[in-house]
Amino acid sequence: MEWQKEEQTLGDPIVWSPGDSRCQTPTEEGQEEGVESAVATLGMEADGASADGLWALPVELAERRPECSRCSRPQKVCLCPFLPVHPLHISTHLYIIQHPAEESKVLRTVPLLAACLPQEKCKVKIGRRFSEERDPELSAVCRKPCTLILYPGAEAANLEEVILDSPIYPSTIIIIDGTWSQAKDIFYKNSLFRLPKQVQLNTSISSQYVIRMQPTNSCLSTLECAAVALSILEKNNYIQETLLRPLQALCSFQLQHGAQIRLSKEHLLKNGIYPKPMPKNKRKLRKMELLMNSVKI
Ligand SMILES: [Zn+2]
């Protein structure tokens, strides 16, 4: 759900900057530019231009800077000093179902999350379609009665209430990492993900991931969702504090290097300062109106 290419103005830029935001789980669709789209644009320009000089175009435009092997940040802006010395001890298993587009994003939060947790407790599965045949392990996880999936909606129960009422204490939670439309697609088009009990976070915390525009004031990044969910499941607030520390450091660094605090789309709309024209598409317009009136979408 990013409209901006903030990395281009920062001290830590990679030319093609995308987004990573989330509304409890998903975020709304936005304009995102990944490496592929940048390459596609280059291709389009090349097609329309004379061939002279095109061969001189640099081929390593999309190349990333050397990354830290632990936090996956560029080595110059490694966030490891803000990670716990040892991975956190948790009993919950976390599965992140990551849309393939998320993997190429620059300011992604999942590597920071994974770096804070034991490897065997945090598994990232990349893809859009999952089935028994393609992923028997994930399929087995989805069938277990102690597995939950974090995806907000009318059918979702509040996580805090689930752990009070559930006869079997949840041992695994699945979180979908993608924009709103990507997560919706993954959730509804994979019947596997409707097997676990659907839960949501009934939290009043606002996202600290202030360098991304979130759809509403209550939308959280993937890392924040995981931090809140794990602290509830593990009954340990220290987990939330520890997991949020690298995110706070990331935002603070980016703000010091020219990034700006991004108010939520909801805030901009409600205050009449949304910088873009309203969409002409009726469905999109309706979504904007719902957002303005704070109706959950
Ligand atoms: Zn690092």
Side-chain angles (χ1 to χ4, degrees):
M1 151 88 269
E2 335 310 320
W3 317 99
Q4 68 281 6
K5 292 187 278 181
E6 63 268 64
E7 292 266 327
Q8 293 186 6
T9 61
L10 306 181
D12 167 27
I14 287 180
V15 179
W16 327 115
S17 164
D20 164 10
S21 63
R22 135 158 345 292
C23 188
Q24 287 217 347
T25 40
T27 56
E28 209 178 332
E29 68 258 59
Q31 295 171 355
E32 298 185 350
E33 282 188 70
V35 169
E36 298 89 338
S37 61
V39 170
T41 307
L42 185 61
M44 280 165 56
E45 284 168 3
D47 287 344
S50 104
D52 291 346
L54 285 180
W55 301 113
L57 284 171
V59 291
E60 50 298 278
L61 270 179
E63 196 175 294
R64 288 179 184 274
R65 292 175 179 191
E67 285 182 351
C68 166
S69 59
R70 187 178 179 207
C71 69
S72 301
R73 298 285 302 146
Q75 282 171 0
K76 274 180 145 180
V77 287
C78 161
L79 288 173
C80 288
F82 302 95
L83 301 180
V85 178
H86 302 291
L88 293 173
H89 285 290
I90 52 168
S91 55
T92 309
H93 288 82
L94 178 66
Y95 279 81
I96 305 283
I97 307 300
Q98 188 172 63
H99 189 279
E102 288 292 316
E103 202 189 355
S104 60
K105 293 183 174 179
V106 176
L107 288 178
R108 53 205 200 280
T109 59
V110 168
L112 294 175
L113 172 66
C116 294
L117 300 173
Q119 234 175 359
E120 71 279 8
K121 291 288 168 63
C122 178
K123 294 196 176 164
V124 181
K125 301 266 182 184
I126 299 165
R128 284 189 288 194
R129 296 293 173 261
F130 298 87
S131 62
E132 183 88 52
E133 301 75 44
R134 285 190 192 181
D135 199 327
E137 183 219 349
L138 183 64
S139 174
V141 166
C142 288
R143 289 178 197 287
K144 284 186 185 167
C146 51
T147 298
L148 305 174
I149 186 160
L150 187 67
Y151 189 86
E155 288 100 64
N158 289 330
L159 180 59
E160 289 95 334
E161 290 162 26
V162 169
I163 62 169
L164 290 177
D165 301 340
S166 184
I168 309 170
Y169 200 82
S171 66
T172 303
I173 187 156
I174 300 172
I175 299 182
I176 305 173
D177 183 35
T179 64
W180 179 270
S181 59
Q182 289 164 351
K184 189 174 171 189
D185 175 77
I186 289 177
F187 182 70
Y188 285 107
K189 297 214 174 135
N190 291 286
S191 53
L192 268 186
F193 297 140
R194 291 197 304 287
L195 296 175
K197 187 165 184 61
Q198 189 184 340
V199 295
Q200 62 189 0
L201 302 173
N202 184 21
T203 175
S204 57
I205 75 162
S206 293
S207 179
Q208 297 182 40
Y209 199 17
V210 291
I211 51 177
R212 288 259 178 249
M213 184 195 280
Q214 308 286 354
T216 76
N217 297 334
S218 59
C219 285
L220 302 177
S221 66
T222 307
L223 184 145
E224 290 170 307
C225 286
V228 174
L230 287 174
S231 67
I232 293 171
L233 287 164
E234 300 280 322
K235 300 180 178 156
N236 182 351
N237 281 338
Y238 172 76
I239 290 174
Q240 188 174 321
E241 282 169 36
T242 308
L243 292 179
L244 293 184
R245 202 170 298 136
L247 182 74
Q248 289 156 352
L250 171 71
C251 292
S252 157
F253 177 85
Q254 300 288 50
L255 291 172
Q256 283 166 26
H257 288 79
Q260 291 183 348
I261 290 182
R262 307 286 173 183
L263 297 166
S264 74
K265 194 168 158 191
E266 178 189 8
H267 179 94
L268 296 175
L269 286 168
K270 281 185 173 169
N271 290 281
I273 49 174
Y274 185 64
K276 291 185 153 199
M278 293 300 270
K280 292 198 174 103
N281 175 299
K282 277 187 183 170
R283 189 180 60 87
K284 286 187 178 169
L285 189 61
R286 175 75 185 137
K287 271 170 114 176
M288 300 280 253
E289 285 167 358
L290 289 173
L291 205 53
M292 267 190 274
N293 296 316
S294 286
V295 177
K296 206 166 189 179
I297 53 172

